[in-house]
Amino acid sequence: ADSGQERTPEFNEAVATLLHCVNAQKDQFILQNIANLLWAMAKLTDYGQERTPEFNEAVAALLPRVSAQKDQFIPQQIANLLWAMAKLVDNGQEQTPELNEVVAALLPCVNTQKDQFIPQHIANLLWSMAKLVNNVQEQIPGLNEAVAALLPRVYAQKANFKPQEIANLLWATAKLGELVELDVVTSIFKSLVHKISENPQSSQQNIFMSLWGVMVCCARLSLVSKANKNNVLEKHLDDLLTRLENPPPDNEKDQRVIAMAASWLGRPFPIVPHYRATLSEPQTFFRDQLQSRLPCLKIEEEKSLNLLPPVDLFLPEHNMVIEIQGPFHYVNGDFKTRNGSTLLKIALLQKAGFEVIEIPVKQRWNHDLMKPFIDQIKKRTNSH
């Protein structure tokens, strides 16, 4: 399928037959077979493989074998297996306790074998960890340590990454948000991004991933200090955006990324991106409490400002945005370490002149937890 093989009925039949064999012979596979099978199955989901009962059974049959033999995998197998877990989850595979166990078993191996990973492994591993963070809202044991072990290797190997690997690295280090120290992110971007922005052969996908990553890096710099503009990175952002604008993409997701980049650079963008409004329960609950305490306060919900993604609550008379931050705004479920998407949205809103108040929502809310935030808003809006 990776080479463009069409998914004919015969092809699907062959896959179904092989999956049945995996179930039947699960105890006879050697380590390399297990790693290769899970990698291949994850890859198939990229090409529309349905998660049939046979498919889910085959995955479930192999996972315990990985956990049981975790100390025997070589670096390439560790990288392939973690990539497979991230890809399966990203394509909708249920996060069973067995799948979580495999991730928790493999991450410490990244630490112990960190010096043996080649550039391709390093890029794939960081991409996998960022994808897992993106899809898993609770704590992933060993994740922070594995990321910390790999980051120095990125810098050490900076001359040896291919364009696709660079795009994956830029996207991943940006996505991991505050888990990666700002000076580390900045030095990685400064040493790698020019290989995408100055390479006329860079693919659209690589340019998009890099553009988004550079935006997050610029956003983080601006949040730390209003004066801390990085002209080198803004120049790359400008170059990448110019390459993607003409012609404007049809894809809604790509249009949203370009609109954000245009907003950041203060450039016009001819398309108004389409955003879906999604009202969360904590958002509605907070709005009701705020309105009952401040009945004259004008509150708008899910408002898209400056072509940017909709904000939870907007107080138009005070130019104030209130963002209710659930677990998916943070890295590794800690409610402290914000991810790249969250940091970018806040920085874009601040850059556009809005005041932003973030309210972390850990559990089902009660009035006591909300009171300090409502008091803060009341004070800021001088409402009585």
Side-chain angles (χ1 to χ4, degrees):
D2 211 11
S3 311
Q5 162 69 43
E6 200 191 328
R7 292 184 60 87
T8 58
E10 292 77 14
F11 179 91
N12 292 340
E13 211 173 292
V15 170
T17 305
L18 291 168
L19 288 171
H20 182 71
C21 298
V22 171
N23 284 327
Q25 302 186 41
K26 61 186 179 196
D27 299 326
Q28 293 166 56
F29 294 115
I30 59 169
L31 295 182
Q32 192 183 347
N33 300 152
I34 296 168
N36 289 354
L37 280 165
L38 282 164
W39 181 91
M41 289 161 76
K43 196 78 179 159
L44 279 169
T45 61
D46 258 353
Y47 295 96
Q49 170 66 40
E50 285 178 44
R51 290 183 309 284
T52 57
E54 293 78 19
F55 184 88
N56 292 338
E57 258 171 59
V59 171
L62 293 170
L63 293 176
R65 299 289 312 281
V66 177
S67 301
Q69 303 182 64
K70 61 185 181 202
D71 299 327
Q72 295 167 53
F73 290 106
I74 59 169
Q76 186 181 353
Q77 292 162 354
I78 294 165
N80 284 356
L81 283 164
L82 273 167
W83 181 90
M85 297 305 107
K87 181 59 80 175
L88 285 168
V89 168
D90 199 39
N91 286 334
Q93 184 76 24
E94 194 195 339
Q95 274 167 255
T96 58
E98 291 78 15
L99 192 144
N100 292 340
E101 215 173 284
V102 165
V103 172
L106 291 171
L107 286 172
C109 305
V110 172
N111 235 333
T112 52
Q113 304 199 36
K114 62 186 177 199
D115 298 328
Q116 294 169 57
F117 292 113
I118 61 169
Q120 187 189 1
H121 300 156
I122 296 166
N124 283 354
L125 282 165
L126 281 165
W127 179 90
S128 306
M129 290 178 209
K131 270 291 176 193
L132 285 165
V133 158
N134 208 26
N135 290 302
V136 178
Q137 285 175 25
E138 58 273 6
Q139 202 100 26
I140 304 170
L143 179 102
N144 297 14
E145 296 79 0
V147 170
L150 286 174
L151 289 170
R153 305 283 304 135
V154 174
Y155 208 70
Q157 295 273 359
K158 63 184 184 206
N160 304 319
F161 292 106
K162 297 190 183 94
Q164 177 68 62
E165 293 157 6
I166 291 171
N168 282 348
L169 282 169
L170 296 177
W171 179 85
T173 50
K175 188 51 124 173
L176 290 165
E178 291 172 325
L179 186 63
V180 185
E181 285 176 36
L182 182 53
D183 56 345
V184 176
V185 178
T186 313
S187 59
I188 286 173
F189 271 83
K190 281 182 175 172
S191 58
L192 292 177
V193 72
H194 67 93
K195 295 187 180 182
I196 302 283
S197 73
E198 292 162 10
N199 177 356
Q201 265 79 53
S202 292
S203 72
Q204 290 280 97
Q205 188 202 10
N206 289 350
I207 296 172
F208 263 108
M209 289 174 87
S210 307
L211 175 82
W212 186 84
V214 177
M215 252 196 305
V216 172
C217 196
C218 291
R220 289 191 62 184
L221 285 164
S222 83
L223 288 171
V224 171
S225 150
K226 288 283 168 282
N228 201 346
K229 265 186 65 140
N230 194 300
N231 294 329
V232 178
L233 290 175
E234 295 233 339
K235 172 83 175 73
H236 285 304
L237 188 61
D238 201 62
D239 293 344
L240 291 164
L241 179 58
T242 303
R243 290 173 66 178
L244 289 171
E245 272 180 325
N246 302 311
D250 300 330
N251 181 321
E252 277 182 11
K253 193 177 160 202
D254 295 347
Q255 285 172 9
R256 293 197 282 263
V257 173
I258 290 185
M260 286 194 275
S263 170
W264 186 273
L265 293 165
R267 279 164 52 168
F269 184 54
I271 296 171
V272 177
H274 173 69
Y275 297 103
R276 282 168 204 75
T278 49
L279 284 165
S280 70
E281 203 181 318
Q283 182 181 330
T284 307
F285 187 47
F286 186 81
R287 188 217 49 215
D288 292 347
Q289 296 302 316
L290 185 62
Q291 196 78 78
S292 70
R293 281 279 302 277
L294 303 170
C296 298
L297 188 66
K298 189 162 190 268
I299 305 173
E300 295 181 22
E301 286 185 280
E302 291 299 309
K303 176 104 175 149
S304 181
L305 307 162
N306 278 37
L307 303 184
L308 300 176
V311 298
D312 293 339
L313 304 175
F314 178 52
L315 314 182
E317 292 156 347
H318 304 278
N319 223 24
M320 188 184 286
V321 166
I322 301 164
E323 287 286 270
I324 314 293
Q325 313 288 49
F328 54 88
H329 288 278
Y330 301 93
V331 175
N332 221 357
D334 70 355
F335 289 91
K336 292 194 298 282
T337 313
R338 293 170 294 180
N339 63 27
S341 306
T342 302
L343 293 163
L344 176 57
K345 186 176 180 184
I346 293 161
L348 279 162
L349 287 164
Q350 286 187 0
K351 198 174 168 69
F354 301 101
E355 183 183 355
V356 183
I357 293 178
E358 294 177 82
I359 303 177
V361 182
K362 288 189 190 183
Q363 61 268 23
R364 199 165 274 286
W365 267 29
N366 61 40
H367 302 275
D368 298 339
L369 287 171
M370 271 190 286
K371 190 177 180 305
F373 293 110
I374 292 179
D375 290 344
Q376 183 192 1
I377 293 161
K378 187 174 180 179
K379 202 169 154 189
R380 297 265 187 96
T381 55
N382 293 321
S383 302
H384 299 287

